[in-house]
Amino acid sequence: AQAVASAQWTATLAMGGFYQGKGGGKAAAPAAPAAEGVPGALKRKLQALGYPELGSVSLDGQAYMKVILWLEEEKIRLYEKIDRAPLRKFDKSWFEAVGKYAKELGVPADGLTEKAINVKLNVLNGLTNLAVHDIYRDQDEANQLQNAVPHHAPAAGPKQRLGELLPALNRILGTFELPQLPQDAMDTDILAGLKCALVRVAPTGAEEPTMDLRKLPLGIDVVDPEVRKAVAVLRLLHGLELQQLQVNINTVINELQQLTANPQTDSRLGRVGR
């Protein structure tokens, strides 16, 4: 029954229906086709919500009153049907009723009048955000949201930079009778193969100096020399883990930047103070 009532209400909106002729017994004058004073970002949110009179939405006159009433009737539904009567009366008391209604929802509405364009814009934007949030929450609770996973190209992507070295590397690995890499090997595998080839070409000599664990700063006082060596090894391992952690953090930041690149903002929606 609720779905049928909603469909009937939407059809009434499309034909003018309930809103037609509100205020002084005269039909409302058509609003500017370009939706004067309404930012594009706000119009896109109203379009996503399915507002039926998107082409005439405006911050002036009854066009503004209609969209506020539609948000409450169809999306937010804070009031019971009988309690929405003050919002349906497009007269001088309407702005006072909407100001009270907005404050109950936590939307600032101080100084809301017909001529206060900035306040009207803030109220409409705040109520639209609440409507979007409510719909998102309802769909999330009903498991109706589908998260799009970004597709990453495998080896041909911009992150693969060592693919040209693969044929020559496989010849070197074959010379040393080592397993060769597949044609779709990642850069990390190619780099590991290069290190392996380097070990075979220039093996580490026993005469090379090694790290003296006794001289490694530990940050703590250790008297026993054997314990000091163990602490030094743990400190080196911890340093390696921190390096890997930094690599992981950089990878996460890079992936997030790919998702948030090229943001679209509307400077007209910004404000300073309350």
Side-chain angles (χ1 to χ4, degrees):
Q2 184 178 359
V4 174
S6 178
Q8 293 176 348
W9 176 248
T10 303
T12 304
L13 287 177
M15 296 184 295
F18 173 78
Y19 294 132
Q20 190 171 6
K22 285 289 181 181
K26 297 181 180 180
E36 181 180 358
V38 179
L42 181 53
K43 286 193 65 178
R44 287 191 292 271
K45 286 185 283 189
L46 291 172
Q47 182 180 9
L49 292 173
Y51 183 58
E53 300 183 17
L54 188 65
S56 61
V57 64
S58 174
L59 297 177
D60 298 326
Q62 294 185 20
Y64 178 78
M65 299 177 179
K66 289 180 182 180
V67 65
I68 296 293
L69 178 59
W70 182 84
L71 287 172
E72 165 57 20
E73 292 274 5
E74 297 296 327
K75 302 300 178 182
I76 300 177
R77 298 175 181 175
L78 174 66
Y79 289 162
E80 296 293 336
K81 186 174 181 179
I82 191 174
D83 296 330
R84 297 170 188 162
L87 300 181
R88 298 192 184 101
K89 297 178 181 179
F90 295 166
D91 52 18
K92 294 182 180 180
S93 63
W94 185 85
F95 286 99
E96 181 179 355
V98 172
K100 178 181 177 182
Y101 165 74
K103 289 181 180 179
E104 291 185 28
L105 291 170
V107 177
D110 294 336
L112 179 62
T113 61
E114 174 63 31
K115 297 182 179 181
I117 301 299
N118 290 334
V119 180
K120 292 169 71 176
L121 175 59
N122 292 334
V123 170
L124 178 57
N125 185 62
L127 295 179
T128 304
N129 290 338
L130 285 176
V132 173
H133 177 268
D134 289 345
I135 292 178
Y136 180 88
R137 182 182 57 188
D138 293 342
Q139 292 184 356
D140 182 51
E141 293 175 353
N143 294 324
Q144 297 178 352
L145 296 178
Q146 296 181 355
N147 296 326
V149 179
H151 175 72
H152 299 284
K159 294 183 179 179
Q160 293 297 111
R161 300 184 177 91
L162 303 180
E164 298 179 354
L165 302 178
L166 188 59
L169 176 60
N170 279 335
R171 289 197 297 269
I172 296 175
L173 294 177
T175 302
F176 291 104
E177 298 182 353
L178 295 174
Q180 299 185 9
L181 298 175
Q183 295 300 321
D184 58 347
M186 303 291 290
D187 278 358
T188 53
D189 297 334
I190 296 176
L191 183 60
L194 291 172
K195 291 182 179 179
C196 183
L198 176 62
V199 172
R200 290 301 182 95
V201 173
T204 303
E207 67 279 0
E208 290 187 3
T210 58
M211 180 180 297
D212 190 355
L213 297 178
R214 296 174 299 177
K215 298 181 179 180
L216 185 69
L218 303 180
I220 58 175
D221 294 332
V222 179
V223 179
D224 193 319
E226 296 300 326
V227 176
R228 181 179 179 83
K229 291 181 180 179
V231 173
V233 171
L234 291 176
R235 186 172 181 84
L236 291 174
L237 293 176
H238 179 62
L240 293 176
E241 291 179 353
L242 290 180
Q243 291 179 0
Q244 185 60 41
L245 176 61
Q246 184 63 54
V247 172
N248 296 339
I249 292 175
N250 294 339
T251 302
V252 171
I253 293 176
N254 184 50
E255 296 294 336
L256 289 176
Q257 288 176 344
Q258 292 182 7
L259 294 175
T260 59
N262 191 22
Q264 296 182 0
T265 60
D266 194 335
S267 59
R268 292 175 296 178
L269 298 180
R271 63 173 182 171
V272 179
R274 299 182 62 183

